[in-house]
Amino acid sequence: MNEKIYVDAFLGYLSNERRLSKHTIVAYQRDLNKLLSFIYVVRKSNLLSLHPAQARLFPAQLHRSGLSSTSIQRTLSAARAFFRYLEREKLVRYNPFVGVVAPRGRRRLPQLLTTDQAEKLVSIEPKSELEYRDRAILDLFYSSGLRLVELSSLDIVHVDIDERLVKVFGKGSKERLLPIGRYAHRALQEWFEIRSRIASRDEKACFVGRRGCRLGARAIQKRVQFWAKRQKLDRRVYPHMLRHSFASHFLESSGDLRAVQELLGH
């Protein structure tokens, strides 16, 4: 029996009972035609006898044909809906596409600064109290690989200047100790000498704003972007880029992947 009649019946159901738009029905038809082609070319057997092991070959075939992960997800969704209809009509005993997933799409690689760009960004010659603060922020981001939320929530008691260590609380409040780099150590020393003149009484935050209160995450993002423009990096820079750059440059110099993972809190 021509298997296209089952697809036509399903499309009729979508149009007459579900009242879906013509555009949506055309999209279903396009996706289900891919399924019919797969069954004919690859299996050369009956659509109604398709079983899960064979259904799992379908996304692999679509992937080889160059279809994106998103498009494969949509096509599988159409196939699952089609077989739910066949189940309802008692034409099949089960839906072979339950649990079948698309191959994961390629993850975009994180953007990084080159070592020259990172050095240029943190090479600030401070001329005001808040510029000393900003230099310490940038140096600490780049030398220790902190997350934005870790740096914004950092209290002054978490920084051990003598031991050159900073205590941060990452995801799930997991605590870790990170070394402070030589330049960041000097920048923090100079900032702490100034901080006491700016910070409000009893303010615990390591980094404070003009009014003496904790500097929020959004404000820190803006300062990073400000200095990227001021230092003429000719690209958008954000805190997470500094974290990835720290990890990449540390790995290049040490070759110790496990140490990088521990420093990042992974």
Side-chain angles (χ1 to χ4, degrees):
M1 185 180 291
N2 185 353
E3 294 170 337
K4 191 175 181 299
I5 65 170
Y6 300 119
V7 173
D8 290 341
F10 173 63
L11 297 176
Y13 158 75
L14 295 180
S15 176
N16 300 324
E17 295 187 37
R18 295 280 305 280
R19 303 289 183 181
L20 299 186
S21 69
K22 289 183 179 179
H23 175 78
T24 301
I25 291 170
V26 167
Y28 268 102
Q29 185 174 33
R30 185 169 54 244
D31 289 334
L32 292 176
N33 282 341
K34 293 185 179 74
L35 176 61
L36 292 180
S37 297
F38 164 74
I39 290 170
Y40 177 75
V41 174
V42 179
R43 288 194 60 246
K44 297 183 180 179
S45 64
N46 195 310
L47 178 147
L48 301 182
S49 65
L50 192 71
H51 57 77
Q54 295 164 327
R56 284 194 290 271
L57 298 175
F58 184 44
Q61 189 266 340
L62 293 175
H63 182 67
R64 285 194 297 271
S65 71
L67 222 58
S68 70
S69 180
T70 302
S71 296
I72 296 173
Q73 291 274 21
R74 190 198 64 233
T75 304
L76 288 174
S77 178
R80 278 190 289 271
F82 176 49
F83 271 89
R84 279 197 301 270
Y85 165 80
L86 295 178
E87 273 189 293
R88 196 193 73 167
E89 296 298 312
K90 301 190 184 308
L91 293 169
V92 297
R93 291 184 294 109
Y94 54 83
N95 189 335
F97 284 97
V98 171
V100 178
V101 297
R104 292 182 64 180
R106 290 183 179 178
R107 294 182 63 182
R108 293 177 61 186
L109 293 175
Q111 292 184 310
L112 303 173
L113 295 175
T114 65
T115 51
D116 287 342
Q117 288 173 328
E119 184 178 347
K120 187 176 182 181
L121 178 63
V122 300
S123 296
I124 298 172
E125 294 297 333
K127 294 182 175 60
S128 70
E129 293 174 332
L130 296 185
E131 288 184 0
Y132 277 97
R133 177 204 66 192
D134 290 351
R135 185 178 66 174
I137 287 173
L138 293 170
D139 267 319
L140 190 57
F141 263 138
Y142 181 59
S143 82
S144 301
L146 274 68
R147 297 180 176 94
L148 173 60
V149 68
E150 292 170 346
L151 189 136
S152 65
S153 62
L154 196 66
D155 289 342
I156 195 162
V157 295
H158 298 150
V159 181
D160 188 331
I161 283 291
D162 294 333
E163 296 296 326
R164 300 193 179 196
L165 292 172
V166 59
K167 182 192 295 183
V168 298
F169 299 89
K171 294 181 178 179
S173 298
K174 186 177 179 182
E175 178 185 316
R176 68 188 194 280
L177 284 175
L178 301 174
I180 298 171
R182 177 161 52 99
Y183 294 108
H185 179 256
R186 186 186 68 184
L188 283 167
Q189 282 182 313
E190 293 178 352
W191 160 241
F192 286 162
E193 291 175 6
I194 295 166
R195 178 192 173 280
S196 59
R197 303 200 297 262
I198 302 174
S200 300
R201 186 178 178 181
D202 298 327
E203 176 58 63
K204 298 177 181 179
C206 182
F207 298 108
V208 298
R210 200 177 298 276
R211 296 180 180 178
C213 299
R214 184 183 300 276
L215 198 65
R218 182 60 185 144
I220 293 171
Q221 285 179 315
K222 288 182 177 179
R223 297 313 295 167
V224 172
Q225 292 167 6
F226 169 83
W227 284 108
K229 187 174 182 180
R230 178 84 169 266
Q231 298 295 82
K232 296 184 168 64
L233 291 194
D234 298 324
R235 64 180 302 182
R236 181 173 172 270
V237 178
Y238 45 90
H240 214 61
M241 183 186 290
L242 293 174
R243 175 172 160 86
H244 282 302
S245 300
F246 154 78
S248 177
H249 300 164
F250 186 94
L251 184 60
E252 286 176 8
S253 62
S254 69
D256 190 340
L257 178 58
R258 185 61 196 145
V260 172
Q261 290 173 327
E262 290 178 357
L263 289 171
L264 293 178
H266 288 175

